[in-house]
Structure formats: structure tokens, C-alpha cells
Amino acid sequence: MPTAFLLPAVLLAAAAAAATTEATKNLVVTRGCVTSCGGVDIPYPFGIGSGCFRKGFEIECINNSPVLAGTSIHVVHLSGDPAESLVMLPVGWQCYNTSSPDKVEASSHGETEMNKHGVYRLSNTHNMLVILGCNTMGNIGSVRTTRDVDEYSYYMGCMTFCNYSATAQDGLCASVGCCHVDIPPGLTHNYFYFRVYDHTGMMDFSPCDYAFLVDRTNYTFRRSDLLRDTNRTSPVWLDWAIRGDDDSTSLSCAEAAKATTTEYACVSNHSDCVNATNGPGYNCRCSKGYQGNAYLVNGCSNIDECADPAKYPCKGVCRDTEGSYQCTCGPGYGSDDPKTQRCTPKFPLAAQICIEIVPVGLI
């Protein structure tokens, strides 16, 4: 190859290699499967790529950002025990027409299609529903039906009011510009619905209505939120479990352990099955005294309790055992409970007499 062409080719190859390195620098690969994307750990049953995930738990790594497969839902955190996922979900909104404030100009239901295989439930313990706006009533719906409005069941919602622009106050979400309610267990996805109220006289400070789920520890109302960007997303916790495509095919621990038509998920030695607390199905966890991933063969390993005295106290001599640990006093020392009480010397009788602990007349 002529030198004039060789140098550009080398430079192009170097540039391509650098680009590849940049695109994959946040990927961690073990056992042939990508186990990290964009700094987010991807523990099994989640996984990226064929053969690396259980049905319903596929993750895609797009531009070094993990998303639930087949969606644009960004994943912030995945946990095996507790069985939780933190994701960013869209906001529902409707904005009124500037010329005709009694009419809606544009809207979005903020609907998500993340649950094609039924593994997720919106966490009722971590999340709350928030409605923002002035003269606004918003609801959240879940579970398709054939009897309800828009083929959804509307579980709950709340209403807000504002007399004028300064009525809403920072830090207060108490039905003036902002209201919030708890959500029940069992919600499979979110779909927001609003009533339409005349916004005449409010367009400068409340031109839109908003509804969103959010981690209850991760949101504080600000008056400026009444003018928030409709494209913002909010952090929402999902509970997940080993389930069927619908409730009728989801098994409890007792059913899954003896079933022959399904793959039992708790495959590690020293693992336990626990029934899901939000919806049907079950989860797996390592037995007491073990840690790791109960969904992997040999995924649970012994905990060395002696290496973590803050969590596993011992004021005597600590010895790790399989699945537990022993805490005893050394020779010549004793304690009623060496895990919580210091060991003290055990003096022989002659020594006790010498230091006058036992009167001589009693010998």
C-alpha cells in the first residue's frame, strides 16, 4: 500500500479503536455476559444479550445508558435483594390554549409499556402520586378493563386549587398548587388522566396540569414546578418478582418448588424462596449467614461475620463457621454473652483468697 494511503488508514483505525473504547468503557463483562452498563450493576435475573437474562428481565445498554428492553425507560438501579428497580418514568400533562384557556391544546398521558411479561409492580411503599397545577384534578389508572373510561380502572387522584400566583408555597404540597396521595399495591403501569377546568386568568403562572409518580423521599414542591418542562422524568421504584405473563400463571413458592412446567428460579445452594409482597409470584434470597445472588448456581457464599464486627458484634474471640459464627471467651475468661458483654478473668480459688475476694473462714 502506498505510504500516502497507509498513514490515513492507520489514523482511521486508531480513531475507530478510540471510539469503540469510549463506547464500551462503562461496560463490565463477566462469564460472557455484560454485568454493568453506565456504572449501573446488572445482576441476574436481569441481563444484557441473548442467554444472559431471565424472561421479562432484559436490559439494553444504549449509549452507555441502561434501559428496560424495548422501551426508552432509563434504569438507575437494579437490586436482587430487596427485589427492587429504580427507573425514570415520564410525566403526564395537559397544557391549555393561550387564546382559549378553557380548552386543552396538547397533552400526554405519560403511559408506560414496561410490563409485557408481568414482572414489575409500581412500589406502593416507596412511591406517591403527585398532581401539580391550579384548578387541576388528576388521576392514575392501571390494569386494562372493558368497563371503565379509556379501558382503564382509575384507582385514585387528587385536586388542587390556586386563587392567584402567590397562593402556592415552596415546600407545601397540601392541595394548593400541589397535592399528593399514596398508591395501592398491585399497579402494573401508569396512565394519567385529567379533568378539564377553565384556566382563564392562570396562564401566566399555571398554563399546564401535571401528574407523576415519584419516590416519596425525592420530591419537594416548588412554586416554579407549575411551569416545569413537560419532558422531565421522575424517579420511581418498581417491585419485581418471578411471575408468569399474567396473575393466573404466577406461582407461589410452594407451587413453584414442585411444578414441572416452569424453571424454578432459586437455584443456588443455601437460598430461600419468599412469596412476593406486591402482586403474585416469588423472590429468592440467600439464606441467613450467606450473601450473593440466589438466582445463580452457587451464587450464595458464606459470610465471614468476623470481618464485620460492626454488623456482627463479638467482644470475645470470633471464629467464622459455615453460615454463622462463634463468639467465645479465651482461656481463663468468661462472659454471660460474649457477643454483647466483655470477657472478664476467671481467677482460681487461691488467687481469689489472696486478693481477699473469699473470706478464709468460709474455706
Side-chain angles (χ1 to χ4, degrees):
M1 180 182 292
T3 303
F5 291 98
L6 179 60
L7 182 58
V10 170
L11 293 175
L12 285 174
T20 300
T21 301
E22 178 66 23
T24 60
K25 66 180 182 180
N26 287 328
L27 296 179
V28 177
V29 181
T30 59
R31 298 189 302 274
C33 294
V34 175
T35 57
S36 178
C37 170
V40 177
D41 290 336
I42 315 293
Y44 191 83
F46 298 96
I48 299 172
S50 177
C52 292
F53 60 88
R54 190 180 177 94
K55 180 181 177 181
F57 292 91
E58 183 179 5
I59 302 294
E60 295 175 340
C61 191
I62 300 176
N63 297 324
N64 280 331
S65 178
V67 298
L68 300 184
T71 77
S72 59
I73 297 174
H74 176 65
V75 176
V76 179
H77 177 73
L78 297 172
S79 170
D81 183 17
E84 298 173 338
S85 305
L86 182 62
V87 299
M88 302 299 292
L89 293 187
V91 171
W93 54 271
Q94 65 177 16
C95 293
Y96 290 81
N97 187 289
T98 304
S99 302
S100 303
D102 60 336
K103 294 181 174 62
V104 173
E105 182 176 65
S107 65
S108 170
H109 293 296
E111 186 174 15
T112 58
E113 292 292 340
M114 61 188 178
N115 219 10
K116 295 179 181 178
H117 299 289
V119 301
Y120 299 108
R121 297 293 185 273
L122 295 164
S123 174
N124 61 297
T125 57
H126 289 308
N127 304 315
M128 62 180 177
L129 169 66
V130 175
I131 306 296
L132 302 180
C134 292
N135 290 5
T136 300
M137 183 174 182
N139 302 275
I140 183 176
S142 184
V143 183
R144 284 187 179 274
T145 71
T146 57
R147 302 182 299 277
D148 300 287
V149 179
D150 290 343
E151 297 186 349
Y152 282 81
S153 298
Y154 290 99
Y155 279 84
M156 80 301 292
C158 57
M159 191 167 188
T160 70
F161 297 91
C162 297
N163 291 328
Y164 51 93
S165 60
T167 303
Q169 299 181 43
D170 289 352
L172 293 180
C173 188
S175 298
V176 180
C178 172
C179 64
H180 64 92
V181 294
D182 293 337
I183 64 172
L187 300 187
T188 56
H189 62 287
N190 60 311
Y191 174 94
F192 301 109
Y193 177 81
F194 301 94
R195 290 284 298 274
V196 177
Y197 290 99
D198 192 343
H199 272 48
T200 299
M202 304 177 186
M203 295 299 290
D204 289 341
F205 58 88
S206 182
C208 302
D209 302 330
Y210 306 92
F212 54 93
L213 292 169
V214 66
D215 175 2
R216 62 177 69 250
T217 66
N218 208 342
Y219 179 72
T220 301
F221 172 68
R222 295 287 181 265
R223 188 188 305 166
S224 59
D225 289 348
L226 296 176
L227 297 170
R228 66 185 284 153
D229 183 357
T230 57
N231 292 319
R232 285 179 60 181
T233 55
S234 60
V236 176
W237 287 97
L238 307 178
D239 295 329
W240 60 265
I242 305 300
R243 318 183 204 264
D245 288 340
D246 55 59
D247 289 1
S248 64
T249 59
S250 295
L251 303 179
S252 66
C253 286
E255 294 167 334
K258 63 184 180 181
T260 57
T261 59
T262 187
E263 181 185 350
Y264 186 52
C266 306
V267 296
S268 178
N269 293 331
H270 310 295
S271 67
D272 301 318
C273 180
V274 291
N275 289 322
T277 58
N278 188 1
Y282 66 94
N283 296 104
C284 308
R285 63 178 55 162
C286 292
S287 304
K288 183 179 180 181
Y290 295 84
Q291 63 186 358
N293 190 332
Y295 300 91
L296 294 174
V297 175
N298 298 322
C300 295
S301 59
N302 176 59
I303 297 173
D304 183 0
E305 290 87 354
C306 297
D308 190 359
K311 188 174 182 181
Y312 305 97
C314 179
K315 296 184 180 297
V317 178
C318 185
R319 186 173 72 86
D320 182 50
T321 62
E322 188 68 21
S324 185
Y325 73 109
Q326 293 179 350
C327 181
T328 59
C329 293
Y333 289 80
S335 171
D336 291 338
D337 182 5
K339 290 185 178 180
T340 59
Q341 300 177 19
R342 295 178 62 85
C343 297
T344 56
K346 290 182 177 180
F347 292 104
L349 182 57
Q352 295 182 40
I353 294 173
C354 289
I355 61 175
E356 298 182 350
I357 293 178
V358 180
V360 176
L362 295 180
I363 299 178

